Amino acid sequence: MADGGFGPASGTGKEYPGNLTLYVTVTCIVAAMGGLIFGYDIGISGGVTSMDSFLEKFFPSVYRKEKADDSTNQYCKFDSQMLTMFTSSLYLAALLSSLVASTVTRKLGRKLSMLFGCVLFFAGALINGFPRHVWMHMVGRIFIGRILLGFGIGFANQSVPIYLSEMAPYKYRGALNIGFQLSITIGILVANVLNYFFKNIHGGWGWRLSLGGAMVPALIITVGYLVLPETPNSMIERGNQKEARDKLIRIRGTVNVDDEFNDLVAASEESRKVEHPWRNLLQRKYRPHLTMAILIPFFQQLTGINVIMFYAPVLFITIGFGSDASLMSAVITGGVNVLATLVSIYGVDKWGRRFLFLEGGVQMLICQIAVAICIAVKFGVDGNPGELPKWYAIVVVLFICVYVAGFAWSWGPLGWLVPSEIFPLEIRSAAQSINVSVNMLFTFVIAQIFMTMLCHFKFGLFLFFGFWVVIMTIFVFFFLPETKNIPIEEIVIVWKQHWFWSRFMTDVNYPNGSVELENDNRAFKKV
């Protein structure tokens, strides 16, 4: 049986003509910039909640605990449900909007869905940056501003990965799709750098610049999206076949696109037979896709990465860094995040998705155990470290950076890439919405309860996330097939050739009427 999770990638062996043209490269770079708004919000939230002027103005009880003497338990200084709601409320809105975005993406196109996301995010940033008093801040920021930001992120996260996977030539799909994750990491880094400089603005209003600064990437991306083309898949799905063929010729750089175009048309015809994509997701033949749409984003959040990305400055303060040092440490981890994502762009179509998943899992696990030991030795269970030696702080930051690198070239980008490329056209928008919704749900949960978990689990929190890294690495080893260098409309075949998932695919036809390949002639290991 082909690629039971233990062998090379299979598929039909079909190769579509086409090149990595300048046109499609620029198009994918502009589209991938949608990740900037998500990354900026991730990075800005943690930095703002570590600023004294922000805490003193809006969360005075947390400010008093944070400024208490060293006898106060360090693990619990930032344990405030209202403070964490400031960060996490956005993700509930993103969850809801991703479900709406599914219909918009399918019926009105990928481009329009991305535009909606940017406009909504811009409106939320505008409200966030200019509240005038506490009432306006709490209502505008949490219940209006954050909701609009969440709506924007839900639309962008639903549509951008699909857009990239459909536009990219299949041999370069991984690298171009990971541009979305690269934009997220750049957004995080920019936010961390701005937080570092805005924190010390005289008058204590730097937090306002940090929050309102989200308008800048949102405006830039909105302008860029206005000139983007629609994907051929979406054009065909909405009945514009001639325009779709002309567009396919341009983005592939060759007139010899008949094979790919015919497969896209065949996939669209199958898609039209599906009246209720959400209901169809429950069919037996979509069991592998639904499983991945749920478990991949679930596992991605349980790596513990958002502990670092959301709350890096707060976390570093908790483990003994000064306020300025904590923000600088967040800048360092943000820089590592960007550089390591470039490794994934280079290697994802060379080494494959599975290799990066597995290597990253092992790397993250080792670092989580090391960080847990470092914190346990110095803080114990009472959370009173006394003076934290500089060398000790450097060791902790080093392990966290190696952990971030492992995530940034594995579960970070692949958590968006793999779901966006494995879904058949007839369920693609609905399944991607499930993927985004699960991601946002557990992002919300982790963001909301992390400070409470840190207060109660103490250094054991890192072991908790390490346990889940073990589970997800085992899952990938046994159940995730390799999808590199396989055309997006032909990935159905890897499920039919998989040692486990093939039992659910008995009623699935191969694309364009092709038959199962000569598996007997392929050196796949049967499990």
Side-chain angles (χ1 to χ4, degrees):
M1 193 69 64
D3 190 26
F6 303 97
S10 67
T12 60
K14 180 181 291 187
E15 295 185 3
Y16 296 139
N19 305 303
L20 182 61
T21 63
L22 178 63
Y23 178 74
V24 78
T25 301
V26 173
T27 296
C28 287
I29 289 173
V30 174
M33 289 175 66
L36 286 174
I37 59 177
F38 188 28
Y40 187 89
D41 188 84
I42 290 174
I44 219 71
S45 298
V48 165
T49 53
S50 73
M51 293 184 184
D52 289 346
S53 57
F54 179 81
L55 291 175
E56 186 177 15
K57 186 175 184 63
F58 301 113
F59 301 96
S61 62
V62 177
Y63 175 76
R64 288 191 294 270
K65 281 198 299 182
E66 196 262 329
K67 291 302 178 183
D69 60 42
D70 290 339
S71 63
T72 302
N73 191 317
Q74 296 291 314
Y75 293 121
C76 300
K77 278 193 171 185
F78 290 89
D79 183 17
S80 165
Q81 290 300 302
M82 284 302 297
L83 180 62
T84 51
M85 181 60 73
F86 169 84
T87 297
S88 64
S89 58
L90 174 146
Y91 300 100
L92 281 182
L95 186 161
L96 296 175
S97 70
S98 67
L99 302 177
V100 178
S102 168
T103 301
V104 174
T105 301
R106 180 164 53 92
K107 293 189 174 182
L108 301 181
R110 286 54 163 153
K111 174 181 174 178
L112 193 59
S113 184
M114 294 190 297
L115 269 172
F116 280 164
C118 289
V119 171
L120 289 167
F121 191 90
F122 179 86
L126 185 66
I127 292 174
N128 283 350
F130 301 100
R132 292 300 179 187
H133 48 77
V134 173
W135 182 87
M136 178 60 184
H137 172 81
M138 297 304 293
V139 174
R141 172 64 174 165
I142 294 178
F143 296 106
I144 300 177
R146 293 296 279 180
I147 287 174
L148 288 173
L149 289 172
F151 284 168
I153 286 174
F155 270 90
N157 288 5
Q158 201 277 343
S159 53
V160 172
I162 290 179
Y163 183 95
L164 294 171
S165 288
E166 291 181 347
M167 287 294 288
Y170 70 96
K171 289 184 178 180
Y172 305 98
R173 187 176 63 243
L176 291 176
N177 190 290
I178 289 175
F180 178 66
Q181 177 67 17
L182 179 64
S183 291
I184 293 176
T185 63
I186 292 173
I188 293 171
L189 177 60
V190 169
N192 288 336
V193 171
L194 292 179
N195 280 334
Y196 180 77
F197 287 105
F198 289 161
K199 175 185 180 295
N200 295 316
I201 288 180
H202 182 70
W205 50 275
W207 60 268
R208 195 186 298 276
L209 291 177
S210 292
L211 297 178
M215 290 184 291
V216 176
L219 184 60
I220 293 172
I221 299 165
T222 300
V223 173
Y225 282 179
L226 287 172
V227 300
L228 283 183
E230 186 56 271
T231 70
N233 310 62
S234 181
M235 292 177 183
I236 294 171
E237 193 174 27
R238 292 178 291 132
N240 302 322
Q241 291 196 11
K242 183 181 185 306
E243 185 182 355
R245 192 178 190 282
D246 293 341
K247 185 60 63 178
L248 192 61
I249 290 173
R250 184 173 186 189
I251 65 177
R252 297 294 180 252
T254 177
V255 296
N256 187 17
V257 297
D258 288 345
D259 283 349
E260 183 174 5
F261 180 75
N262 291 335
D263 282 349
L264 293 179
V265 171
S268 179
E269 290 173 352
E270 287 296 316
S271 175
R272 287 195 183 95
K273 297 176 184 178
V274 178
E275 295 182 6
H276 306 286
W278 293 98
R279 188 184 305 166
N280 272 50
L281 276 171
L282 301 178
Q283 291 184 18
R284 178 180 174 84
K285 65 180 179 180
Y286 298 129
R287 201 71 52 81
H289 312 85
L290 184 60
T291 300
M292 297 302 167
I294 294 172
L295 288 185
I296 287 179
F298 170 76
F299 286 144
Q300 186 191 52
Q301 295 312 307
L302 284 173
T303 59
I305 187 62
N306 283 337
V307 171
I308 305 299
M309 293 298 118
F310 285 161
Y311 298 118
V314 171
L315 179 63
F316 286 125
I317 289 176
T318 299
I319 60 178
F321 290 58
S323 183
D324 285 346
S326 70
L327 287 171
M328 178 52 69
S329 298
V331 171
I332 293 171
T333 56
V336 170
N337 199 15
V338 172
L339 294 176
T341 303
L342 295 174
V343 174
S344 187
I345 290 176
Y346 171 80
V348 68
D349 292 314
K350 294 178 179 290
W351 309 323
R353 284 68 160 150
R354 282 171 42 78
F355 171 80
L356 290 173
F357 266 131
L358 297 173
E359 190 283 331
V362 172
Q363 183 171 324
M364 287 189 293
L365 177 63
I366 292 172
C367 292
Q368 284 167 321
I369 293 173
V371 170
I373 292 173
C374 288
I375 296 178
V377 169
K378 189 62 180 174
F379 287 75
V381 295
D382 296 327
N384 300 317
E387 187 70 23
L388 188 69
K390 184 176 181 180
W391 68 268
Y392 205 90
I394 292 174
V395 169
V396 173
V397 172
L398 178 62
F399 277 120
I400 288 178
C401 285
V402 176
Y403 160 81
V404 168
F407 176 86
W409 60 53
S410 63
W411 279 92
L414 300 182
W416 295 107
L417 166 62
V418 173
S420 73
E421 68 182 0
I422 64 174
F423 304 135
L425 183 62
E426 63 268 21
I427 63 165
R428 188 169 296 157
S429 293
Q432 179 67 1
S433 286
I434 295 291
N435 175 57
V436 174
S437 297
V438 173
N439 191 300
M440 294 299 102
L441 174 61
F442 285 95
T443 301
F444 164 77
V445 171
I446 297 299
Q448 184 62 33
I449 68 174
F450 163 64
M451 294 302 177
T452 300
M453 290 178 70
L454 180 62
C455 184
H456 290 85
F457 283 28
K458 303 175 173 56
F459 60 85
L461 181 60
F462 293 91
L463 299 178
F464 169 82
F465 288 122
F467 165 80
W468 284 106
V469 169
V470 172
I471 298 298
M472 64 186 70
T473 302
I474 293 173
F475 173 81
V476 166
F477 183 79
F478 284 104
F479 296 108
L480 184 68
E482 182 57 71
T483 54
K484 72 170 183 176
N485 296 334
I486 299 176
I488 190 170
E489 301 303 346
E490 304 236 336
I491 286 181
V492 62
I493 295 169
V494 303
W495 302 110
K496 191 148 187 175
Q497 295 174 341
H498 189 274
W499 72 273
F500 179 79
W501 299 117
S502 59
R503 69 193 67 187
F504 300 100
M505 310 295 291
T506 53
D507 60 340
V508 177
N509 295 321
Y510 283 97
N512 218 21
S514 59
V515 297
E516 188 164 2
L517 298 175
E518 318 87 34
N519 288 331
D520 292 339
N521 296 329
R522 291 177 174 266
F524 295 122
K525 183 176 180 180
K526 185 173 182 179
V527 179

